[in-house]
């Protein structure tokens, strides 16, 4: 049997090693890499990210990984994108000048400066801390990575910008923060979470565990 290969794409982001540790806890044996060859030959990949759009996109440009990631996303192999890793899947971001990967149609925009909850209390930006996630089971078939996770499960968020998808069917889950925030996306083999599974305790580890199981089942 061929050995299963999981690549964590090194974008230079601060959460790289936290993601690696979480994957190892649930039984994975990933390689953290900037090598286009290693990414291209992997059976599955994870694209983490924190920080600013242009900083991460410039890292990918400098490492000549833009087309590598686009090709991987279109290959049918499982790709999990986390936080800024999910945001750069889209075409553009108000956070910077550099275009995103364009794997998903849409844009990334800043939270409204006057966002408030249902009681009229002004909400802080960045959206930071634990928040409940609602999967859109009525509109979007639940992806295996999210199967069995209870509605309203709390995950950990840290972001000042949020994704606006052109195609509503790409939105797998939302979370309330003055507005309904895109908390997760699914597009064929590409899965993204705005929240940080590696910072979300047992529920977050479940995401990585289910991703590994999903990836290993793929032909």
């Amino acid at each position: 049997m061929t050995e299963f290969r999981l690549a964590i794409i090194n974008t230079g982001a601060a959460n790289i090693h936290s993601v690696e540790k979480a994957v190892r806890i649930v039984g994975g044996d990933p390689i953290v890499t900037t090598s286009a060859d290693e990414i291209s030959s992997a059976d599955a990949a994870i694209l983490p990210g924190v920080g600013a759009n242009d900083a991460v996109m410039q890292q990918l440009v400098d490492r000549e990984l833009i087309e590598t990631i686009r090709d991987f996303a279109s290959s049918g192999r499982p790709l999990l994108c986390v936080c800024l890793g999910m945001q750069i899947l889209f075409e553009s971001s108000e956070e910077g000048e550099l275009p995103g990967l364009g794997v998903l149609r849409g844009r990334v925009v800043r939270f409204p400066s006057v966002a408030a909850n249902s009681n009229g209390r002004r909400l802080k930006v960045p959206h930071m801390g634990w928040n409940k996630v609602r999967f859109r089971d009525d509109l979007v078939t639940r992806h295996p990575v999210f199967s069995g996770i209870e509605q309203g499960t709390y995950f950990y968020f840290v972001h000042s910008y949020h994704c606006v998808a052109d195609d509503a069917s790409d939105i797998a889950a939302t979370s309330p923060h003055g507005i309904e925030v895109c908390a997760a996306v699914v597009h064929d083999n590409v899965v993204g979470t705005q929240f940080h599974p590696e910072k979300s305790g047992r529920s977050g580890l479940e995401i990585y565990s289910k991703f590994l199981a999903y990836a290993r089942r793929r032909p």
Side-chain angles (χ1 to χ4, degrees):
M1 180 180 294
T2 304
E3 181 182 0
F4 175 78
R5 292 165 297 178
L6 172 62
I8 296 177
I9 301 169
N10 189 348
T11 60
N15 66 331
I16 292 287
H17 296 298
S18 297
V19 171
E20 179 188 12
K21 181 179 178 180
V23 171
R24 291 191 183 280
I25 287 172
V26 298
D29 185 24
I31 56 167
V32 178
T33 183
T34 59
S35 165
D37 289 341
E38 287 183 326
I39 295 165
S40 297
S41 63
D43 299 297
I46 298 175
L47 178 62
V50 294
N53 176 85
D54 283 8
V56 167
M57 288 306 300
Q58 190 61 57
Q59 288 273 10
L60 298 180
V61 170
D62 292 345
R63 295 170 179 180
E64 299 182 346
L65 293 179
I66 299 292
E67 290 306 319
T68 299
I69 297 171
R70 286 174 177 158
D71 289 346
F72 195 99
S74 65
S75 72
R77 287 169 289 171
L79 175 64
L80 175 63
C81 306
V82 176
C83 193
L84 185 57
M86 181 181 101
Q87 292 186 359
I88 64 174
L89 290 173
F90 288 86
E91 296 164 304
S92 65
S93 174
E94 290 183 352
E95 191 180 21
E97 300 295 327
L98 295 179
L101 294 168
V103 172
L104 300 180
R105 291 187 297 110
R107 65 196 189 282
V108 179
V109 302
R110 186 171 173 82
F111 276 104
S113 59
V114 294
N117 64 14
S118 58
N119 296 321
R121 182 174 62 85
R122 186 168 178 174
L123 296 171
K124 293 181 179 180
V125 177
H127 173 207
M128 180 181 295
W130 296 86
N131 205 345
K132 60 185 176 181
V133 170
R134 173 77 184 180
F135 294 97
R136 303 178 68 224
D137 294 340
D138 54 335
L139 299 175
V140 181
T141 301
R142 187 80 73 96
H143 190 278
V145 172
F146 302 129
S147 65
I149 296 175
E150 291 186 11
Q151 292 287 17
T153 295
Y154 279 74
F155 291 93
Y156 193 85
F157 291 80
V158 184
H159 62 121
S160 299
Y161 294 78
H162 65 98
C163 301
V164 179
D166 285 355
D167 188 344
S169 67
D170 288 337
I171 301 172
T174 60
S175 187
H177 191 68
I179 58 174
E180 283 297 308
V181 179
C182 176
V185 296
V186 170
H187 186 87
D188 298 328
N189 55 301
V190 179
V191 179
T193 65
Q194 181 63 71
F195 54 85
H196 285 272
E198 70 279 3
K199 295 183 178 181
S200 298
R202 187 173 298 174
S203 296
L205 290 177
E206 189 176 357
I207 295 285
Y208 286 119
S209 179
K210 289 179 181 294
F211 177 72
L212 280 177
Y214 161 69
R216 285 169 171 157
R217 288 196 304 268
R218 297 283 294 185

